[in-house]
Amino acid sequence: MKKQYSLAYLTILGCPPPEMINIAARTGYDFVSLRPIYMGLPGEPNFSLSDNKELMKQTKAALSETGVKLLDIELAKIFDGVDPKNYLPAMESAAELGGKHVLSSIWTDDRNFAIERFAELCELAKPFGLTVELEYVPIASVKNLSGTLDVLQMAKQDNAGLMVDIHHFHRAGDKVEDLDAVPREWLRFLHLCDAIKDIPASMDEMTRILREERSYVGEGGIDVASIVNRIPEIPCSIELPNLKRVQEYGFEEHARRCLQTAKEYFDQHPREENKMETKKLALV
């Protein structure tokens, strides 16, 4: 099966959705992953599609003209006091654009509240035909694989799933063998990148790297193939923010290099079944 790739929001942070879609098309991506949920973070523009009808119109046109598809939207955060209904406009926009998934993460230490609100988010997403993928983040409240599986098991939602981010998986100290316990149907797409092998001791440095200095696949110290090849063949959303590379190359060339290096890496680190298929073809 041909590996499919999405261009994720943080990779070219600040690029408006229509231009991001055109860049994805010109550089060879299959999908884009957008952030129409405004989070108010420093330096991040508001690309809310539900509040900006003209932006929504341009985004829909770009998808139609290029053939690039919308993979997922982000980020439906679960935090103290959140009302998941606030995410309904973004989910409606995603469904209108043909999106498949909503990305979520948990930023409250109240476990029962987190489970209840995550389950509510999943229920709200069902009428739109959307699944909700829970991503764990090492600087958040749910920060590792076991904590994420706990939420998913307790929420008991058939449209819920797990989104593995390669950077976060490594920083959390999770083991590839632990992925064997994850139901295959919970895995629908992943976040792809690389990073330095040494895990930062400070939260500030970990945050800086995850938002500003991830590496092209194969250039860092993470055994990316051991993680990716342990789970089913699912779309890889390349989330690879690197401020220096963007300043040096610009949005489009950075996006192109992200995809090129990923493809080269997986050509050199094929799945076992792909190796067997190659051997069979060689014998024909």
Side-chain angles (χ1 to χ4, degrees):
M1 181 185 296
K2 175 181 174 289
K3 195 178 290 293
Q4 294 182 304
Y5 295 92
S6 182
L7 177 58
Y9 167 80
L10 282 180
T11 303
I12 50 176
L13 173 64
C15 186
E19 179 57 19
M20 183 176 172
I21 292 164
N22 283 309
I23 287 175
R26 291 194 294 266
T27 53
Y29 289 83
D30 305 283
F31 303 98
V32 289
S33 300
L34 303 178
R35 183 176 283 185
I37 298 172
Y38 181 53
M39 298 172 62
L41 295 174
E44 289 199 20
N46 185 350
F47 292 140
S48 171
L49 300 175
S50 58
D51 294 330
N52 189 330
K53 302 304 180 185
E54 180 59 28
L55 184 62
M56 177 66 169
K57 179 181 176 182
Q58 294 174 6
T59 301
K60 183 183 289 188
L63 290 170
S64 176
E65 291 165 5
T66 62
V68 171
K69 295 179 172 57
L70 174 61
L71 183 66
D72 68 287
I73 64 163
E74 57 177 68
L75 177 65
K77 293 176 67 173
I78 304 298
F79 55 91
D80 289 323
V82 69
D83 182 355
K85 293 184 182 65
N86 291 336
Y87 299 130
L88 278 170
M91 290 193 285
E92 183 176 2
S93 295
E96 185 176 342
L97 294 173
K100 301 173 182 294
H101 317 293
V102 179
L103 190 60
S104 181
S105 56
I106 293 175
W107 301 74
T108 172
D109 294 330
D110 186 334
R111 176 175 174 272
N112 291 334
F113 178 84
I115 292 168
E116 290 170 3
R117 292 298 175 268
F118 179 75
E120 181 182 352
L121 179 66
C122 293
E123 291 288 351
L124 292 169
K126 285 179 183 178
F128 297 107
L130 297 167
T131 67
V132 181
E133 270 53 56
L134 184 57
E135 173 185 23
Y136 61 90
V137 185
I139 61 172
S141 298
V142 174
K143 58 188 64 182
N144 56 31
L145 181 59
S146 63
T148 310
L149 296 182
D150 171 57
V151 173
L152 293 173
Q153 288 160 356
M154 297 301 295
K156 295 181 172 62
Q157 297 292 315
D158 57 12
N159 67 329
L162 165 70
M163 206 291 298
V164 175
D165 181 299
I166 301 301
H167 173 276
H168 303 340
F169 186 94
H170 176 261
R171 296 306 194 241
D174 285 322
K175 308 300 181 186
V176 293
E177 307 83 53
D178 296 336
L179 291 168
D180 296 342
V182 180
R184 303 294 89 176
E185 64 271 17
W186 285 3
L187 297 162
R188 302 185 182 101
F189 72 101
L190 61 85
H191 273 176
L192 182 65
C193 70
D194 206 338
I196 59 172
K197 184 175 182 179
D198 294 337
I199 299 175
S202 76
M203 195 70 75
D204 287 345
E205 180 62 4
M206 185 178 290
T207 302
R208 186 191 69 80
I209 290 175
L210 74 85
R211 286 187 60 84
E212 300 179 5
E213 201 175 312
R214 301 197 209 184
S215 307
Y216 293 141
V217 179
E219 289 187 356
I222 301 176
D223 186 356
V224 175
S226 70
I227 305 168
V228 174
N229 293 343
R230 196 83 179 200
I231 60 181
E233 189 72 89
I234 54 178
C236 295
S237 182
I238 300 183
E239 185 179 76
L240 208 159
N242 189 304
L243 294 186
K244 291 179 181 177
R245 294 288 173 82
V246 169
Q247 290 168 0
E248 181 179 0
Y249 300 129
F251 283 151
E252 184 162 338
E253 183 59 23
H254 175 56
R256 178 179 288 107
R257 287 171 183 250
C258 285
L259 182 57
Q260 178 184 350
T261 52
K263 288 182 174 181
E264 290 172 352
Y265 177 85
F266 287 117
D267 282 345
Q268 296 165 8
H269 300 82
R271 292 173 174 270
E272 285 301 320
E273 57 266 32
N274 293 344
K275 290 180 184 177
M276 295 300 294
E277 188 63 29
T278 299
K279 288 180 180 178
K280 289 179 182 177
L281 290 173
L283 295 172
V284 174

